[in-house]
Amino acid sequence: ECLLTYGGHVGSVYCAAFSPDGAQVLTASEDGTAKLWSTESGEYIRTFGGHAGEVFSAAFSSDGAEVLTASEDGTARLWSAASGECIRAFE
């Protein structure tokens, strides 16, 4: 039984991951973004944007404070999960 559907990306979703506490879901997409969602309500929280290509992978840090995304543009980006600010780009 499907409990929730997260719809908001334009294009395919390549990756999905639960936050360490299970309260959020992170998705990575062909549209060049990763998005953060509430697992309880399905509500959209924020977008991690800035890659110049598709985002193939996204993961939480072990404490859930940061998000790492990896893109076909050849970069990985480290983000604050709370604010959505890009902390560092790895090129």
Side-chain angles (χ1 to χ4, degrees):
E1 174 184 341
C2 179
L3 300 177
L4 284 172
T5 300
Y6 303 95
H9 283 289
V10 179
S12 299
V13 174
Y14 297 129
C15 175
F18 283 100
S19 62
D21 65 4
Q24 298 172 330
V25 169
L26 179 65
T27 55
S29 174
E30 174 183 23
D31 66 12
T33 69
K35 293 186 183 291
L36 192 61
W37 312 86
S38 165
T39 53
E40 185 176 329
S41 67
E43 183 176 322
Y44 161 82
I45 299 171
R46 78 179 34 84
T47 297
F48 303 96
H51 284 289
E54 298 176 18
V55 177
F56 291 118
S57 178
F60 283 96
S61 61
S62 60
D63 63 2
E66 297 169 331
V67 166
L68 184 68
T69 57
S71 170
E72 77 169 337
D73 67 8
T75 68
R77 293 180 184 260
L78 185 65
W79 311 85
S80 164
S83 71
E85 176 186 355
C86 183
I87 298 167
R88 177 176 294 148
F90 303 92
E91 300 184 27

